[in-house]
Amino acid sequence: MINIAVAQSGGPTCAINASLVGVFRESLKVPEIDAIFGSINGIEGIINNHLVDMKSIINTNNDMELLRQTPSTVLGSCRYKLPDANEDEAVYRQIAETLTQRNIGAFFYIGGNDSMDTVNKLSAYFAEHELNIKVIGIPKTIDNDLCITDHTPGFGSAAKYVATTMHEITRDSIVYSIPSVTIVEIMGRHAGWLTASSAVLHAMGETAPHLVYVPEVSFSEEGFLADVRQEMSKHKAVIIAVSEGIAVPDGVQSGVVDNFGHKYLSGIGKYLEDIVRTKIGCKVRSIELNVMQRCSSHLGSKTDIDEAESIGAAGVRCALSGETGKVMVFRRVADVPYTVVIETAEAADIANREKFLPRDYINSAGNNITDTALSYFMPLIQGDLNLITENGIPKHFAIHESVLR
Ligand code: F6P
């Protein structure tokens, strides 16, 4: 008999808890697995020996259904960067001690490219010290910027929210007779996947978003103003999608940096709003979708949530087959009918790397998205969650605050 541990890391998404359910539900089916521990605040919980018995928290099928539809990370999260083992081994010894003390034979880390660095480093350390603890990464991020995998759990739901919100903003923006510009700031650190996904509206006959700016294309204020003027000559209300990560002068975005050296990017929408107001002088509004795009499970994609659960379950089977240092990935077989298979990749090939929008997803002017991209995005946003509600509001599963402290 072995015990297992699971943790969640990085920024919230709608699908991380569904992957946790995947790990949990699959583990219940395996007679060799006894306790299922949840680590509080990602790897920090293992370091601090702050683990909870998941079987005492998730008691019924109804709990699992609620957890599946609950956004964010029910076990809390972290942005913790493991030092290199040869520079500072103390933290590795601490992790190994917690895991061996509790007879944990497999550790599942649900996270993005930074978290896969932890999977890579830990699996290498355990192998080197002949500790039989398997470490498997389960991908997630709204940024969709993990290499090798076709897409990441959490992205489809965020994309669906962004496109739906953009659709609603479009309806709102066109009511007056005066010309206007609306700028929507969308998350995505260095890659424009989520911003680009707003263009799925084109497949519904919308002309909006009329302009789409992603970090993969260099940005100039002059080019932007010329684009806006041109679109204003064609449309009364111009709707613009802009990625938080486009390169703008220093000082526009927040200067705060996290443990991985990533800057908090926020403020580009306001910056462009000011430029339009000063240089063009029309009615202009900027909207920052901010954290709402990460936790908007009321608009979750069923495809996304189902896949998130499946890839969590596949992670358990992978560890039981003896693998370690692997990340579960999706390989797309076809767009129509949409088919994906789950495979594994080396954590070392995913850790700390980023996947960018292919050039043929961006138009030649670098200010909008092509139809090729739409065929990629479309399957990921399909299907609605049959949400359990209370007072008409989607219900969430929560662990008591005292357990998390
Ligand atoms: O999880 C990815 C991401 O949402 C990025 O798009 C964003 O820039 C960043 O996280 C924000 O980080 P935090 O959760 O630390 O505010």
Side-chain angles (χ1 to χ4, degrees):
M1 293 289 272
I2 58 155
N3 299 327
I4 64 154
V6 54
Q8 302 167 306
S9 164
T13 78
C14 285
I16 317 181
N17 288 329
S19 289
L20 178 62
V21 170
V23 170
F24 183 79
R25 222 195 284 263
E26 189 68 16
S27 300
L28 290 182
K29 293 185 204 156
V30 181
E32 301 84 49
I33 296 179
D34 187 9
I36 304 167
F37 290 111
S39 171
I40 303 300
N41 293 121
I43 192 68
E44 290 174 7
I46 308 275
I47 298 167
N48 305 323
N49 199 9
H50 190 184
L51 306 182
V52 292
D53 171 7
M54 295 303 292
K55 287 186 191 166
S56 70
I57 288 168
I58 306 173
N59 296 306
T60 61
N61 266 332
N62 193 48
D63 284 349
M64 281 190 246
E65 287 315 304
L66 259 191
L67 185 52
R68 242 177 73 91
Q69 74 169 42
T70 303
S72 195
T73 57
V74 76
L75 295 169
S77 185
C78 69
R79 290 208 186 269
Y80 182 94
K81 188 170 174 63
L82 266 184
D84 280 341
N86 46 17
E87 280 166 20
D88 179 3
E89 207 193 325
V91 70
Y92 288 83
R93 284 202 219 99
Q94 189 60 54
I95 291 170
E97 192 182 319
T98 304
L99 297 176
T100 47
Q101 246 179 25
R102 293 185 185 248
N103 190 31
I104 290 169
F107 172 51
F108 302 93
Y109 210 25
I110 311 170
N113 29 23
D114 296 336
S115 315
M116 296 314 138
D117 177 60
T118 302
V119 171
N120 184 34
K121 286 176 173 162
L122 274 186
S123 56
Y125 181 84
F126 295 154
E128 200 184 317
H129 292 78
E130 295 180 358
L131 293 166
N132 188 16
I133 306 169
K134 313 296 182 208
V135 188
I136 300 292
I138 315 281
K140 72 86 218 173
T141 169
I142 63 156
D143 293 345
N144 199 38
D145 59 352
L146 260 60
C147 294
I148 305 175
T149 190
D150 176 76
H151 58 280
T152 53
F155 172 69
S157 295
K160 183 167 175 155
Y161 171 80
V162 166
T164 307
T165 304
M166 188 75 91
H167 210 190
E168 291 165 353
I169 289 170
T170 304
R171 293 283 80 73
D172 183 284
S173 304
I174 56 177
V175 293
Y176 300 117
S177 57
I178 54 166
S180 69
V181 172
T182 306
I183 301 158
V184 184
E185 177 180 331
I186 298 164
M187 274 184 170
R189 242 182 222 130
H190 305 126
W193 294 98
L194 194 54
T195 304
S197 71
S198 63
V200 298
L201 293 184
H202 296 167
M204 298 170 71
E206 294 290 346
T207 53
H210 304 103
L211 293 166
V212 181
Y213 295 102
V214 291
E216 285 83 349
V217 178
S218 64
F219 182 84
S220 83
E221 196 181 307
E222 301 70 46
F224 167 72
L225 281 167
D227 289 347
V228 175
R229 286 195 174 101
Q230 197 189 356
E231 289 306 313
M232 287 183 82
S233 69
K234 294 187 270 179
H235 309 284
K236 184 182 63 169
V238 173
I239 318 288
I240 302 171
V242 61
S243 167
E244 63 173 2
I246 65 164
V248 285
D250 280 351
V252 169
Q253 291 143 329
S254 156
V256 183
V257 170
D258 73 11
N259 283 339
F260 287 87
H262 304 308
K263 268 193 200 159
Y264 288 96
L265 302 172
S266 164
I268 185 75
K270 198 79 202 152
Y271 168 74
L272 296 181
E273 177 191 322
D274 289 343
I275 292 178
V276 171
R277 182 171 298 111
T278 335
K279 301 280 171 60
I280 297 181
C282 64
K283 179 178 190 236
V284 55
R285 196 186 280 282
S286 64
I287 300 160
E288 187 183 343
L289 297 188
N290 211 303
V291 296
M292 283 85 85
Q293 62 208 294
R294 301 201 290 200
C295 284
S296 49
S297 54
H298 64 290
L299 277 171
S301 147
K302 185 175 183 315
T303 302
D304 183 32
I305 301 303
D306 287 348
E307 286 185 347
E309 182 170 347
S310 305
I311 205 163
V316 174
R317 295 193 294 274
C318 177
L320 290 175
S321 74
E323 301 265 34
T324 189
K326 298 284 193 286
V327 179
M328 310 311 295
V329 293
F330 292 118
R331 180 168 60 81
R332 190 181 299 214
V333 178
D335 290 337
V336 186
Y338 173 61
T339 323
V340 285
V341 289
I342 298 175
E343 298 179 340
T344 58
E346 296 297 329
D349 294 335
I350 292 186
N352 305 318
R353 298 190 181 173
E354 288 165 303
K355 185 177 72 185
F356 300 103
L357 279 173
R359 189 60 189 85
D360 67 341
Y361 281 18
I362 306 166
N363 68 358
S364 54
N367 62 11
N368 218 317
I369 300 306
T370 61
D371 288 349
T372 310
L374 303 192
S375 337
Y376 167 83
F377 291 128
M378 211 55 88
L380 308 180
I381 61 174
Q382 302 300 318
D384 300 322
L385 303 176
N386 195 7
L387 294 174
I388 306 163
T389 59
E390 189 175 0
N391 301 318
I393 293 173
K395 244 182 124 170
H396 290 171
F397 183 92
I399 299 178
H400 197 271
E401 215 189 316
S402 59
V403 177
L404 296 174
R405 243 184 277 129

